[in-house]
Amino acid sequence: MRFIFPLLMMATALPVVAQNLPRRPDDPIPPQVDAMYERGLAYLAKSQNARGSWDDSMGSEPGVVALCVVAFLAHGEDPNHGPYAKNISKGIDYLLSQQNSTNGYIGNSMYNHGFATLALAEAYGCVENPKIAPALQKSVELILSAQKRNNSKAWRYTPDSTDSDTTVSGCQLVALYAARNAGLPVPEEALKSGLAYMARCRGSDGGYGYTSASGPKPTLTAIGVLCLALAKDKEGKGFQSSLDYLKKNLNYRDRHYPYYFEYYMSQALFHAEPETWNDWNAQNIRYLSTIQSRDGSWPGNKGQSFNTAGSLLSLALNYRFLPIYEK
């Protein structure tokens, strides 16, 4: 049984606005999605190790553990007493164990840190763990301090990086919006500066490049569109041109990072245009159903935990339990 997260009165220094109550949409969940999602979660639960991570090639990365945790939460699982409560708790404990107690850095890259911050923000206020609030606050402070040191007022691989790219920057922006949704103070100037960098990497055709406007790719453009949507900045020409770029690439598959693309494309289209997301969602369900393994995982060269979490989160918009998945 899925659980509508209550607001928990947590004794922390943070304001307990926590999260808006998630809610099930009125439209029914496609039975195929339920079946795929249940099998995927069962795989993640069964293969999680005692430390709370996974033993495949990328499963010990905090960013991957974070996405797995979010995949559980996005299904509306009771994070404290439900069948997957222990999996969620172990995953969060693993993320907390990977945080530097001095500066708040989680893992060894800003990818890891950004996704871990997102997971802590989505868990804050619904998971009974008093360590989440101070860890989340520290992780947000690190993102903000890294941006201040950056020449572009954006982000790259480490907190001390002086250069930037759209994948890492987009990851931090999504984490900051999730933290703001959870009630943490996030300076508007930090968000605007990050979005301004992203805009400089958008070409005249609406496509986003990696470190500049050249060499646009659908995966990068999906990240850019999602950031604009979360910023509620969907009226400008830039947003529409980028959405048009994505609509021309609905059949695109990223050969190198397929599930990373699935993860971002689903969110971008969901926030951008319901009709296009409906088409994409139906296509995505068919595609993922044909490649899901018998054990519930998804195959690929990035580790089954990451592949599975990315696939599940691309389907999770059908549930819309998490605040980051609310329009």
Side-chain angles (χ1 to χ4, degrees):
M1 179 181 296
R2 297 194 186 93
F3 178 73
I4 304 301
F5 302 149
L7 298 182
L8 302 176
M9 299 308 293
M10 297 163 56
T12 73
L14 295 180
V16 186
V17 241
Q19 310 281 33
N20 292 327
L21 283 174
R23 47 198 177 273
R24 175 192 285 277
D26 294 332
D27 49 306
I29 308 300
Q32 191 174 20
V33 171
D34 258 337
M36 294 162 64
Y37 214 106
E38 291 285 1
R39 289 173 61 206
L41 289 187
Y43 170 80
L44 290 177
K46 180 179 63 177
S47 57
Q48 188 181 32
N49 62 34
R51 296 182 65 207
S53 60
W54 280 260
D55 291 326
D56 56 57
S57 60
M58 293 183 64
S60 63
E61 297 286 334
V64 174
V65 174
L67 291 176
C68 291
V69 167
V70 177
F72 283 110
L73 294 174
H75 195 237
E77 299 297 333
D78 180 342
N80 303 300
H81 308 290
Y84 296 120
K86 288 185 178 179
N87 302 104
I88 294 168
S89 179
K90 286 197 300 182
I92 290 173
D93 285 344
Y94 182 82
L95 296 180
L96 296 174
S97 75
Q98 300 299 299
Q99 185 172 46
N100 183 303
S101 60
T102 302
N103 62 13
Y105 192 30
I106 302 175
N108 59 4
S109 78
M110 288 301 286
Y111 279 120
N112 281 313
H113 185 84
F115 286 125
T117 302
L118 170 64
L120 293 177
E122 296 303 320
Y124 171 58
C126 68
V127 176
E128 295 173 351
N129 186 334
K131 295 180 181 179
I132 291 175
L136 175 58
Q137 188 158 2
K138 278 189 174 182
S139 66
V140 169
E141 288 169 356
L142 181 124
I143 293 174
L144 296 174
S145 64
Q147 183 188 37
K148 289 178 181 177
R149 291 191 293 271
N150 189 275
N151 291 337
S152 302
K153 298 299 177 241
W155 301 267
R156 209 168 190 189
Y157 299 130
T158 72
D160 297 319
S161 295
T162 56
D163 57 346
S164 311
D165 71 59
T166 50
T167 58
V168 179
S169 296
C171 182
Q172 309 314 309
L173 283 169
V174 172
L176 288 178
Y177 279 112
R180 189 172 72 170
N181 286 346
L184 275 75
V186 176
E188 189 65 27
E189 187 59 35
L191 297 169
K192 287 182 178 179
S193 295
L195 291 170
Y197 168 75
M198 297 291 285
R200 293 196 294 273
C201 295
R202 184 178 61 226
S204 58
D205 63 350
Y208 283 73
Y210 183 48
T211 58
S212 69
S214 63
K217 290 182 171 59
T219 303
L220 304 175
T221 306
I223 296 171
V225 168
L226 175 60
C227 290
L228 285 174
L230 294 176
K232 311 297 184 187
D233 186 10
K234 299 192 285 187
E235 303 302 321
K237 292 181 180 178
F239 182 85
Q240 188 58 51
S241 65
S242 295
L243 176 58
D244 290 342
Y245 180 95
L246 290 182
K247 290 167 74 170
K248 294 174 185 175
N249 287 278
L250 292 181
N251 295 318
Y252 174 82
R253 297 293 170 196
D254 194 312
R255 291 183 300 160
H256 302 290
Y257 300 98
Y259 303 104
Y260 190 65
F261 168 71
E262 297 284 326
Y263 170 73
Y264 276 117
M265 185 69 156
S266 294
Q267 294 181 79
L269 294 179
F270 173 78
H271 284 286
E273 192 171 83
E275 299 81 4
T276 302
W277 176 77
N278 284 332
D279 292 341
W280 159 263
N281 186 50
Q283 175 181 304
N284 189 43
I285 292 170
R286 289 193 298 270
Y287 169 67
L288 291 178
S289 68
T290 64
I291 62 172
Q292 187 176 21
S293 302
R294 293 182 64 182
D295 65 2
S297 67
W298 271 269
N301 62 359
K302 303 301 179 186
Q304 287 173 299
S305 55
F306 173 75
N307 301 339
T308 302
S311 297
L312 292 177
L313 288 171
S314 77
L315 296 169
L317 283 308
N318 288 280
Y319 299 103
R320 302 166 218 177
F321 279 111
L322 291 185
I324 202 72
Y325 281 177
E326 288 290 332
K327 292 184 179 179

